[in-house]
Amino acid sequence: MTQVLSVNVGRAAPNPYKDALTTGIDKRPVDGPVEVRAPGPKHGGLGSGVVGDHIGDRLHHGGDEQAVYAYAREDLDRWEGRLERELADGVFGENLTTSGIALEDCRLGERWRVGSCELVVTVPRIPCSTFRGWLDVRGWLRKFTADARPGTYLSVAVAGEIAAGDAVEVLHRPDHDVTVGRTFLAITTRPDLAPSLLDAEPYLTPELRRTALRRARRAAEDVPTP
């Protein structure tokens, strides 16, 4: 069954890993339904889309395009084996720990019903220095990037409540093949894939669209003249 195993919320805590004074990366499962709504813009908005969840670095995190972060329990289990340590739901800073869905295969613009909410797949998570410091694993950013299963951010199309055990129902899957996994590679280790993101142009965030267009122009300029 495709479902949410836990809804996780992070309280404000000091952040020793970057210039931001606080972080909410230490997310813990909560009991009962949690209110989820669009938080507004990254700068000047409410931060997280999950009520009660804290976003410390609002320059790079939070806002409507990164309102909710989902990560798969199956991937946490794989990392438990590789890191030889227990990884509780929420430890990667995810708001929703999911089961039964390969998040890297979700398409940009894919629309889900979860609880009484409707969520839309937007962008993959790009690992940052807070994530590296929090996990305290040597070479963590490199390892996480190479794994290329980053989980996904979601925007909130319809506000409501989500609770552990809620099913994840795909309401709409766009007719393109630009997945979260491909997008992550295009942003990180495979910039040659960036022009292909334009196949999903109606669903691209402004930042993704700029990146794809810039690299498409660069690729065109590098084509030798016959």
Side-chain angles (χ1 to χ4, degrees):
M1 179 179 178
T2 302
Q3 64 177 329
V4 171
L5 292 180
S6 65
V7 182
N8 314 303
V9 169
R11 308 301 181 187
N15 187 347
Y17 312 117
K18 63 162 56 172
D19 291 339
L21 296 178
T22 60
T23 177
I25 197 169
D26 182 11
K27 300 195 191 305
R28 309 289 180 91
V30 296
D31 295 327
V34 179
E35 183 182 352
V36 177
R37 78 290 188 252
K42 185 177 293 186
H43 310 298
L46 299 173
S48 176
V50 179
V51 172
D53 184 47
H54 177 72
I55 299 290
D57 180 4
R58 295 197 186 182
L59 180 64
H60 300 103
H61 302 293
D64 284 339
E65 295 163 359
Q66 300 179 18
V68 180
Y69 175 48
Y71 195 77
R73 182 64 243 182
E74 292 87 348
D75 291 326
L76 285 173
D77 291 342
R78 283 190 308 101
W79 281 115
E80 279 193 341
R82 292 176 64 178
L83 300 179
E84 298 182 337
R85 60 192 267 196
E86 183 177 350
L87 297 172
D89 290 358
V91 73
F92 276 22
E94 77 272 15
N95 300 113
L96 305 180
T97 307
T98 63
S99 176
I101 182 168
L103 297 174
E104 69 276 6
D105 293 336
C106 295
R107 301 175 189 178
L108 302 191
E110 191 169 301
R111 191 174 180 120
W112 303 349
R113 179 182 289 123
V114 188
S116 58
C117 295
E118 291 186 18
L119 307 175
V120 179
V121 173
T122 55
V123 291
R125 186 248 195 94
I126 304 300
C128 67
S129 58
T130 298
F131 190 32
R132 175 181 60 200
W134 170 245
L135 265 293
D136 192 24
V137 173
R138 184 178 180 85
W140 176 243
L141 296 189
R142 175 180 50 80
K143 294 177 190 293
F144 186 82
T145 299
D147 189 62
R149 281 175 274 201
T152 188
Y153 283 113
L154 303 143
S155 64
V156 181
V158 176
E161 293 183 333
I162 299 176
D166 284 343
V168 177
E169 177 188 0
V170 178
L171 299 177
H172 172 69
R173 181 170 285 125
D175 186 21
H176 63 70
D177 61 357
V178 181
T179 63
V180 169
R182 175 186 286 198
T183 304
F184 182 76
L185 291 173
I187 296 171
T188 56
T189 60
R190 290 285 309 279
D192 58 298
L193 294 176
S196 71
L197 302 184
L198 294 172
D199 292 343
E201 188 165 8
Y203 305 102
L204 298 182
T205 65
E207 184 176 355
L208 267 182
R209 184 176 183 275
R210 286 193 296 271
T211 297
L213 286 172
R214 182 174 66 251
R215 291 181 176 171
R217 286 194 296 267
R218 187 176 302 165
E221 293 168 357
D222 290 342
V223 173
T225 302

